[in-house]
Each structure stands twice: as C-alpha cells, then as structure tokens.
Amino acid sequence: MAKQFSVPRGTSDILPQNITRWRRLEETSRKFLETYGYREIRTPGFEETELFARSVGQTSDIVEKQMLNLSSRQEEGKAVPLSLRPEGTAAVVRSYIENNLDTTESLSKLYYIGPMYRGERPQKGRLRQFHQIGVEAIGPQRRAEDDPCLAYLDAEVIALSVNLLKAFGVKGFELKINTLGSAKDKEHFSKYLRDQLKSGLKKLPAEDQKRFSRNIFRILDSKNKEHRAMVSGLKLDGEQYLSQESREYFERVQKALRQLKIDFQVNPSLVRGLDYYTHTVFEISHAGLGAQDALGAGGRYDNLVGQLSGGKKEECGALGFALGIERILLTLPEEEKSQPFDAYVIAMDEESFPDAFGLLADLRRAEFRADMSYRVSSIKSQMRQANKAGGAGTGFVCIIGKEERQKGVVAVKNMETGEQQEIGRKSFVSDFKKLNKKG
Ligand code: HAM
C-alpha cells in the first residue's frame, strides 16, 4: 500500500479554520509596531551556519543541539554550510551590515513576522518550526555606554512587548528583567560564578563540567535540581561583578518602566541562552504554559554589529525581542468565528448557469464575499453547501432559475431570518448593497 505522508514531527498545518486568529495577531502586530516607528524587514529562511555560530554562540543550546542544517552547497569551489534560521536577530544584523543601514538611519527600527526552525525534541509549546514576531532597534552611538538616556529605549522596547501581548488579549503573564552589564562586566560575572561554584562544579558529571567550563552562565538557568541547589545560595546582586555605570543604567531602565506603568520583577539569575546579550535582558512567561513557559524574550546586544562586521563597522547599539506566536495562541481562547459569505449564488438548471455565473462576478466586483457550487444540483443540496460555505456559512442565497430569468429577477433568501424576496437583476448589486447593509 502507498505510504501515507504526515506533517513532519514538530511542525503543524495551520488550517483555514484556524487562520483567523493567526491573521489577527499578525495584523495587530503590524499596526501596533508601525505606530511605534518600526518597519518590516524580511530576510531569507536560511543563512550561513557560521552566522548563527558567531552570534547566538557556539556553546548555546541552539547552535550545539538544535540547528537544522541543509546539505552544503559548493560556492566558488568551497562548501558553504547553510542552516535554517533558528531565530531572527542574527539575520537582521547581517542584513543591517550588508545594506549599510547605519549610514542612512540613526536608529533602524525593524520588525519581522515569520517561521523559525530549531531541531528540538517536540513537546507542548516546543516545535521544530514555530513563528516569531520580532523587533530589533539598531543604530550607531546607541550603546548603553554611549548615553545613559538610552535606558528609555530599553524600557520602551520592553513595554512594547508587554503592550503587544495585552493588545492580543493575553492575560496572566509575568515580566522578568535583569542586567548582564557590559562585555567587561560579563567577564567579571563569569569569573565570579566560576570562583563561587568551583568546588561544586568539580563534583558534577564530566559532561556538565565540560558544558559549564565553556559557558558558565548556563548553570543559572538550568532546570536540573542539583544545579539549582548549587546556585541557590549565590549572591547575585551585581555588586561583585557589575560596574557602577551598568548598575545605574539598569536603575534607569527600571525607573522608566515604572513611569510606563509596566509591572516587572528583577530576576538576577535571568541570563538567557543566547551569547550576544549585554546589559538589559528580559523574559515574559505564562504560568499556564507548563515547562515551555516563555511567551517571549529579548534584550540588548551592543557588540553584535561590530562582531559580525569583523570590526569594519562602528559598534552599533541594539536591542530587541521576539514573541512566540504558537505559545501566545495557547494562552488565548479557542477559535474565533470566521466571517460568513455575503452571498451564495445558486443556478437551478444548466441554462441558468451563465446568468448565475455573471451575477457572481458582479457581486465580487462590488467586493462582496461571494461563491457558488459550480454545479447544478438540487436546491436542497446547494442550500446545504451554502450553509457550510467557507466554514462559516452564508448571509444571503441568490437563486436564478428559469422563472427568475423570464421575469428578469433574482430570488434572494436571508439565511438567518428565512425571508425571501425578488430583486430586479438590472439594479441587483446596488439593491443588494442596501439589503446587506454594505451600501
Ligand atoms: P528566544 O528566547 O530563543 O529569543 O525565542 C523567543 C521566543 O520564541 C521564546 O520566548 C518562545 O516564545 C519562542 N520559541 C523559541 N523556541 C521555540 C520553539 N522551539 N517552539 C515554539 N516557540 C519557541 C530569540 O529568538 C531572540 N532572537 C530574541 C531577541 C530578539 N533578542 C533580541 N532581539
């Protein structure tokens, strides 16, 4: 027997009956983000693998375990490894550098909506193809170190992610924020953690030791009980590893968030699993989601433009976030009803078909949502199809048979009230507009 194909593991079809809620999120996002001055950018679905290794980080879970690699292509005699994009930031920064946006804009406010790919073990809220709504604000002299007032931009970006979730109708989420400090502070932070955890680290299995020797921050957000116990007694108020400027900057971010009336909690062990962050980091979680509880996350990444341009570009400050659409939808009520058709045209016999077909074209030209069954069958069966049309049914059925043709009318039935009337064919569209309250 022929093999029956199914959707690849960790992916899903978004069927027409579910599309309304997707569109609503996408449309709300576009409208909302554009009022904040963000403009849409679309980058390819795959990039050179090295771009992700050098930005998200060679030792991050994403690059170490979750990359979905494409078979390498030969480019000018060299094999160039390519991967499906696991996230959007690296690609946006690549495009920002390649298109020299720093020379034309003092602050590029960019957003994207689209699929991302990670080869994770699928579970509720964790997919191999998922969708993000992402925002990146990038510009020269926009680093936290360049101007303390940039803390207001951090607060605005965080507030934007929160307000976007509110606009979608999401309730019961929590915002956690933290600071990692500058690149130098991060080094101090890493050394501080190594010193504090030295004796405990030695007792861990070799694999964990290796993992934490490459990236000690990973222990802070590890869900493993033993790791949690090791870090639970740590003093993480920043005094030992953050500079005075970094602490003041973070204070300002918090003050600005209070001014914007955004509730938050400072969580000193929030470090994020992607290497590029410096200074402000944040995560929004929802208790109703279970193990995969992050609705979205982001932060500042002031060194990435310099790093990816190999020092050719001046350091640009940057920050952003991404929200996961599938997880947002898990927190929202089930399907909203899709819109019914305005009109469903029925031809009673083959001879009436050309007139019915013409009527359908006239209705669509006047921007009515209209359809027909494209076959001649009993009125009962066509009515049944009208009721099911597009999954949401039909407002009015417009019938043309021999009698209607002779009289130059269309029989119109209101499917809600059952009322039926005849409307002259010549002025049909304008009269139907009145009837349908669209005129
Ligand atoms: P991230 O924390 O890796 O950050 O992902 C952001 C959000 O994408 C998560 O909070 C979650 O809602 C969703 N997400 C991630 N992985 C999956 C998955 N396997 N299945 C379903 N949803 C998932 C980033 O991607 C950064 N680029 C965010 C950013 C932008 N930072 C600065 N600018």
Side-chain angles (χ1 to χ4, degrees):
M1 215 173 42
K3 172 185 160 112
Q4 174 152 1
F5 292 100
S6 23
V7 73
R9 220 171 143 233
T11 70
S12 58
D13 298 317
I14 307 164
L15 295 172
Q17 59 264 34
N18 293 323
I19 215 74
T20 315
R21 43 202 325 246
W22 279 81
R23 288 238 193 109
R24 194 175 68 78
L25 288 201
E26 289 162 8
E27 279 157 21
T28 307
S29 304
R30 289 203 161 84
K31 221 165 124 196
F32 208 86
L33 294 169
E34 284 169 20
T35 58
Y36 274 72
Y38 286 85
R39 291 180 306 148
E40 186 170 356
I41 182 166
R42 298 187 190 187
T43 61
F46 59 87
E47 299 272 348
E48 281 189 42
T49 308
E50 196 187 342
L51 171 72
F52 302 116
R54 282 186 31 206
S55 49
V56 176
Q58 194 69 57
T59 59
S60 63
D61 280 355
I62 295 180
V63 171
E64 249 184 4
K65 305 187 213 151
Q66 300 163 0
M67 297 289 268
L68 288 173
N69 298 320
L70 304 176
S71 58
S72 294
R73 298 268 146 203
Q74 293 285 332
E75 299 289 350
E76 290 157 13
K78 254 187 7 209
V80 179
L82 299 170
S83 302
L84 292 178
R85 59 178 185 188
E87 57 108 53
T89 311
V92 169
V93 171
R94 194 261 314 131
S95 175
Y96 178 87
I97 296 168
E98 192 172 351
N99 294 293
N100 296 310
L101 296 188
D102 60 322
T103 59
T104 52
E105 296 172 347
S106 80
L107 182 65
S108 300
K109 293 168 121 182
L110 306 164
Y111 77 87
Y112 47 91
I113 301 176
M116 305 292 159
Y117 305 87
R118 296 185 192 176
E120 304 199 62
R121 197 168 42 78
Q123 64 178 86
K124 184 186 164 203
R126 187 162 75 185
L127 298 157
R128 290 185 172 163
Q129 176 181 288
F130 58 97
H131 297 74
Q132 285 186 342
I133 300 164
V135 154
E136 315 292 349
I138 315 173
Q141 278 132 46
R142 300 286 181 163
R143 303 204 301 160
E145 281 116 89
D146 295 324
D147 182 350
C149 285
L150 283 167
Y152 287 93
L153 179 61
D154 294 34
E156 188 188 271
V157 167
I158 298 174
L160 176 56
S161 65
V162 167
N163 290 335
L164 205 43
L165 288 173
K166 285 185 186 161
F168 298 151
V170 181
K171 295 198 172 75
F173 56 84
E174 256 184 35
L175 167 67
K176 286 169 273 178
I177 64 170
N178 191 25
T179 182
L180 303 173
S182 64
K184 222 150 195 79
D185 295 340
K186 257 177 103 174
E187 281 172 28
H188 294 150
F189 193 7
S190 156
K191 183 171 179 314
Y192 171 74
L193 290 176
R194 277 177 215 289
D195 290 346
Q196 296 292 309
L197 301 171
K198 211 178 327 174
S199 55
L201 284 172
K202 278 191 204 134
K203 293 181 204 136
L204 292 179
E207 200 177 312
D208 285 345
Q209 285 194 38
K210 215 165 103 192
R211 184 163 148 230
F212 296 135
S213 76
R214 283 188 292 172
N215 187 344
I216 189 72
F217 296 120
R218 309 291 331 137
I219 198 166
L220 289 181
D221 56 14
S222 167
K223 294 207 161 95
N224 175 301
K225 259 196 200 149
E226 208 179 332
H227 304 159
R228 294 204 85 85
M230 277 172 69
V231 298
S232 66
L234 280 178
K235 199 162 180 275
L236 292 175
D237 57 10
E239 256 181 58
Q240 297 81 355
Y241 46 85
L242 290 178
S243 68
Q244 182 68 19
E245 292 78 30
S246 297
R247 272 188 284 154
E248 279 171 16
Y249 189 85
F250 190 46
E251 281 301 323
R252 268 186 195 243
V253 174
Q254 295 177 57
K255 214 168 132 196
L257 280 174
R258 281 186 213 106
Q259 190 182 342
L260 292 171
K261 307 216 169 352
I262 300 291
D263 292 332
F264 63 89
Q265 271 175 13
V266 176
N267 181 342
S269 55
L270 177 71
V271 283
R272 308 273 300 119
L274 299 85
D275 275 5
Y276 49 60
Y277 293 111
T278 49
H279 292 280
T280 318
V281 286
F282 64 100
E283 198 168 282
I284 302 173
S285 57
H286 193 290
L289 281 177
Q292 304 302 317
D293 65 350
L295 285 177
R300 188 165 266 289
Y301 51 95
D302 283 350
N303 301 309
L304 192 57
V305 173
Q307 224 165 287
L308 290 182
S309 66
K312 286 197 197 91
K313 289 271 171 209
E314 176 190 359
E315 279 298 2
C316 287
L319 84 154
F321 66 81
L323 303 174
I325 298 187
E326 283 83 354
R327 291 193 193 168
I328 292 170
L329 290 175
L330 284 174
T331 71
L332 292 175
E334 274 300 305
E335 198 44 56
E336 296 142 47
K337 259 208 159 359
S338 46
Q339 222 189 330
F341 276 103
D342 298 317
Y344 198 84
V345 179
I346 293 179
M348 300 272 283
D349 46 50
E350 214 176 310
E351 291 70 44
S352 304
F353 214 95
D355 285 20
F357 196 56
L359 180 69
L360 178 64
D362 286 352
L363 283 164
R364 288 177 176 161
R365 223 170 280 129
E367 294 184 5
F368 286 111
R369 282 165 46 81
D371 212 353
M372 74 184 307
S373 73
Y374 305 97
R375 42 154 65 132
V376 175
S377 56
S378 75
I379 185 117
K380 211 166 135 199
S381 116
Q382 296 211 46
M383 281 291 189
R384 227 179 294 129
Q385 295 197 38
N387 268 323
K388 289 197 287 193
T394 305
F396 292 88
V397 169
C398 307
I399 307 159
I400 300 185
K402 189 173 172 199
E403 202 185 315
E404 284 76 16
R405 275 188 291 124
Q406 279 166 357
K407 282 163 79 181
V409 298
V410 178
V412 177
K413 183 172 178 178
N414 182 329
M415 295 296 272
E416 205 183 313
T417 62
E419 271 169 63
Q420 193 158 330
Q421 59 182 296
E422 285 179 351
I423 297 180
R425 175 63 182 94
K426 277 207 180 102
S427 59
F428 184 83
V429 170
S430 58
D431 289 341
F432 186 72
K433 270 188 191 162
K434 287 178 211 145
L435 192 65
N436 200 49
K437 295 195 184 65
K438 273 209 167 175

